[in-house]
Amino acid sequence: MAKPSTGFSTFLFHKKRWLLLLLAMLSVSTAVAFIIRAAYDSSCDRQHFDVGNRIQKPEKVKETTSSQIGVVTSPSPLSFMKSKLVLLVSHELSLSGGPLLLMELAFLLRGVGAEVCWITNQKPSGTDEVVYNLENKMLDRGVQVFSAKGQEAINTALKADLVILNTAVAGKWLDAVLAKNVPRVLPKVLWWIHEMRGHYFKLDYVKHLPYVAGSMIDSHVTAEYWENRTQERLKIKMPKTYVVHLGNSKELMDVAEDNVAKRVLREHVRESLGVRNDDILFAAINSVSRGKGQDLFLRSFYESLQLIKDKKLQVPSIHAVIVGSDMSVQTKFETELRDFVAQKKIQHRVHFVNKTLTVAPYLAAIDVLVQNSQGRGECFGRITIEAMAFQLPVLGTSAGGTAEIVVNGSTGFLHPAGKEGVSPLATNIVKLATHVEKRLTMGKRGYERVKQMFLERHMADRIASVLKDVLHTANARQ
């Protein structure tokens, strides 16, 4: 049975300490995860943390300006948000994409001088280390954090210039907390939706959707799906909807464009996995679940090994890496994956890595990203543009936002979702394993596409345009 690899940050602690400086350069989500890992290993006393009470804003947050570091930067497109009061409502606070993305927006807004407040609608009972560390990360950046329930939440919602609900599920907070004040708040609500699954289309979640100032969705295909599904299933109309593609942070791009950093990270990750420098690594980097398609990826990988053997192709040793393993969450499915690997006797070629958000080291170490999300695919799939920043070709399903990112035949190859995609994906794995020039060329084209469309400044521009329009709509309705 394949042995799960330990988390990369733990590995680094036992290697050269200066590598930690590289990790500090990673994206906001990566940095958050690294802090959490450090907190898990520490002996800090957390007995005074009370998740039910408001967490006080630090007295002073020290801001670093461009003049302090000798760099002249252009004004942020979000600078008009200075002094605006923004309330961010998240359905949960976890290491999943939605909450972390909302945190990034919180930090962008704080960076231009907005007053940002955060509430989490659903929290685990008792002290939770993930919540504790993420909330303190926000406090360190000057974001005010307090309880979702109570008069302070109501007062803030009423006073705010803008309220951003994150995910469809966050809609439950409106009636549960605001009650009779809901009509006063709806005109200044921007609803940021990331979900693609049918079970989110419930009136309990989204009945107020037609009355908000606008909705923001990460891809065109998801926006179209929401428009059609709400009308057909719920008989309600979507508000004005904005499509905002995401972007890579400047910190992640710094690592992606630093050849020395990438080489060091590549060597050490590969050493931890027990693979050689000239081996070819195909990796799926997602939380492990049936919807992410790791089972079908492994079937494709095994089929590709058979194709190479049958055709007697001369290629370096190829490996599959599953980053995102967590046996405690998906025990049955993860067991199925390991049983398949054992049954096919490919334990030496398949590597399971524990769930982590320190993705940049793995992107530096692999050769191809496999984005094999099933069903309707990813709403966007940020790992795809992160991989492209590292000049990696992408093998993805032709579903969801992936098809809006990957240019088929240019920056990667697309294959159908479901079982019918197993053989095409296997063929594409063999193509990239046997044609190094094609692999490198696709990677370079992907990087160029990121530079043109998927940087933090592109995302900030797109979000700024939405916020200006939503604020105008909100003011007109009051």
Side-chain angles (χ1 to χ4, degrees):
M1 186 176 295
K3 182 180 179 181
S5 169
T6 57
F8 182 71
S9 61
T10 302
F11 169 76
L12 287 177
F13 273 110
H14 298 289
K15 290 294 178 179
K16 297 179 181 179
R17 293 181 62 190
W18 66 272
L19 283 175
L20 297 179
L21 297 175
L22 295 176
L23 290 177
M25 298 163 59
L26 306 183
S27 65
V28 170
S29 60
T30 299
V32 167
F34 183 75
I35 288 169
I36 289 171
R37 285 178 172 271
Y40 285 158
D41 294 333
S42 71
S43 58
C44 294
D45 181 10
R46 304 186 185 92
Q47 62 182 349
H48 300 297
F49 177 64
D50 181 359
V51 297
N53 296 330
R54 179 181 178 190
I55 301 174
Q56 298 296 323
K57 177 182 177 182
E59 292 183 4
K60 183 177 181 181
V61 177
K62 186 176 181 180
E63 302 286 347
T64 302
T65 65
S66 58
S67 61
Q68 289 174 304
I69 59 177
V71 177
V72 178
T73 58
S74 57
S76 168
L78 291 164
S79 58
F80 68 94
M81 293 297 295
K82 182 178 182 180
S83 300
K84 292 284 194 297
L85 174 59
V86 182
L87 175 62
L88 305 179
V89 182
S90 184
H91 74 289
E92 65 176 11
L93 189 52
S94 67
L95 296 179
S96 57
L100 293 176
L101 186 58
L102 190 65
M103 282 181 62
E104 287 195 40
L105 178 58
F107 299 154
L108 287 174
L109 293 172
R110 281 293 301 134
V112 298
E115 183 179 357
V116 182
C117 301
W118 177 290
I119 59 179
T120 304
N121 190 39
Q122 299 174 2
K123 286 186 180 182
S125 59
T127 301
D128 182 272
E129 289 191 83
V130 170
V131 172
Y132 174 85
N133 285 284
L134 291 179
E135 286 186 332
N136 278 278
K137 176 66 177 177
M138 288 190 281
L139 290 170
D140 289 343
R141 299 288 290 270
V143 178
Q144 301 176 60
V145 181
F146 49 85
S147 172
K149 301 174 177 64
Q151 193 60 43
E152 188 165 27
I154 297 173
N155 292 342
T156 304
L158 293 173
K159 291 187 298 182
D161 297 289
L162 180 66
V163 177
I164 300 179
L165 297 182
N166 195 43
T167 75
V169 184
K172 294 193 295 184
W173 174 81
L174 292 170
D175 286 320
V177 177
L178 295 184
K180 64 181 181 181
N181 293 298
V182 169
R184 297 174 60 187
V185 175
L186 289 180
K188 53 185 176 181
V189 168
L190 173 64
W191 210 321
W192 199 356
I193 296 172
H194 312 286
E195 295 93 339
M196 281 281 280
R197 304 292 181 260
H199 60 270
Y200 291 107
F201 290 87
K202 296 181 179 179
L203 278 176
D204 287 346
Y205 296 161
V206 298
K207 65 182 179 183
H208 295 299
L209 193 52
Y211 312 108
V212 302
S215 66
M216 186 163 68
I217 300 180
D218 305 331
S219 65
H220 293 281
V221 66
T222 307
E224 183 178 353
Y225 177 67
W226 269 86
E227 182 176 359
N228 294 335
R229 195 64 181 265
T230 49
Q231 290 182 355
E232 294 170 2
R233 183 168 176 173
L234 303 179
K235 309 302 181 185
I236 63 175
K237 295 185 66 174
M238 289 287 289
K240 185 174 183 179
T241 299
Y242 308 86
V243 174
V244 173
H245 283 158
L246 308 181
N248 289 326
S249 70
K250 291 178 288 187
E251 291 79 10
L252 182 129
M253 292 303 299
D254 285 343
V255 178
E257 295 172 336
D258 188 329
N259 290 329
V260 174
K262 287 194 295 183
R263 185 175 69 250
V264 173
L265 291 171
R266 179 183 178 90
E267 290 174 355
H268 283 268
V269 170
R270 283 178 171 247
E271 181 182 344
S272 73
L273 295 175
V275 299
R276 297 170 299 186
N277 187 56
D278 59 348
D279 291 344
I280 304 175
L281 271 58
F282 294 80
I285 305 178
N286 297 103
S287 56
V288 173
S289 68
R290 204 171 298 279
K292 300 298 183 181
Q294 288 93 350
D295 54 341
L296 299 180
F297 166 44
L298 289 180
R299 294 182 185 279
S300 296
F301 179 73
Y302 176 72
E303 188 173 315
S304 72
L305 292 174
Q306 298 305 114
L307 289 172
I308 291 171
K309 180 181 178 181
D310 294 344
K311 295 182 179 181
K312 299 180 180 179
L313 301 174
Q314 298 298 312
V315 296
S317 178
I318 68 172
H319 295 253
V321 184
I322 306 294
V323 180
S325 178
D326 187 346
M327 285 291 288
S328 65
V329 176
Q330 294 284 344
T331 305
K332 181 179 178 181
F333 183 64
E334 295 241 19
T335 301
E336 288 178 17
L337 298 182
R338 286 161 171 77
D339 287 347
F340 176 82
V341 170
Q343 177 189 352
K344 299 301 182 181
K345 295 180 172 57
I346 52 176
Q347 298 96 321
H348 61 296
R349 291 183 180 269
V350 178
H351 312 270
F352 292 91
V353 177
N354 291 339
K355 188 174 184 179
T356 175
L357 290 179
T358 53
V359 296
Y362 295 101
L363 294 174
I366 67 175
D367 300 287
V368 180
L369 179 78
V370 179
Q371 177 62 287
N372 204 40
S373 293
Q374 299 298 303
R376 297 182 183 88
E378 295 285 335
C379 179
F380 182 77
R382 200 174 195 184
I383 188 64
T384 304
I385 60 172
E386 291 175 333
M388 291 162 63
F390 279 76
Q391 301 191 32
L392 300 175
V394 177
L395 301 180
T397 48
S398 53
T402 303
E404 295 179 21
I405 302 172
V406 177
V407 180
N408 190 32
S410 176
T411 66
F413 290 117
L414 298 175
H415 58 273
K419 293 180 180 179
E420 57 268 35
V422 170
S423 291
L425 174 55
T427 300
N428 291 336
I429 289 174
V430 174
K431 282 181 184 178
L432 293 188
T434 55
H435 295 88
V436 61
E437 285 302 322
K438 181 181 289 292
R439 197 167 68 237
L440 295 175
T441 299
M442 284 185 162
K444 290 177 181 177
R445 288 174 180 165
Y447 169 75
E448 292 167 359
R449 185 164 168 79
V450 165
K451 296 287 282 188
Q452 292 170 359
M453 300 178 60
F454 300 120
L455 297 178
E456 183 180 276
R457 60 181 174 84
H458 299 135
M459 183 176 72
D461 280 334
R462 292 187 279 261
I463 290 178
S465 177
V466 173
L467 297 190
K468 284 181 180 178
D469 204 23
V470 168
L471 285 173
H472 177 76
T473 300
N475 292 331
R477 289 185 180 183
Q478 292 177 351

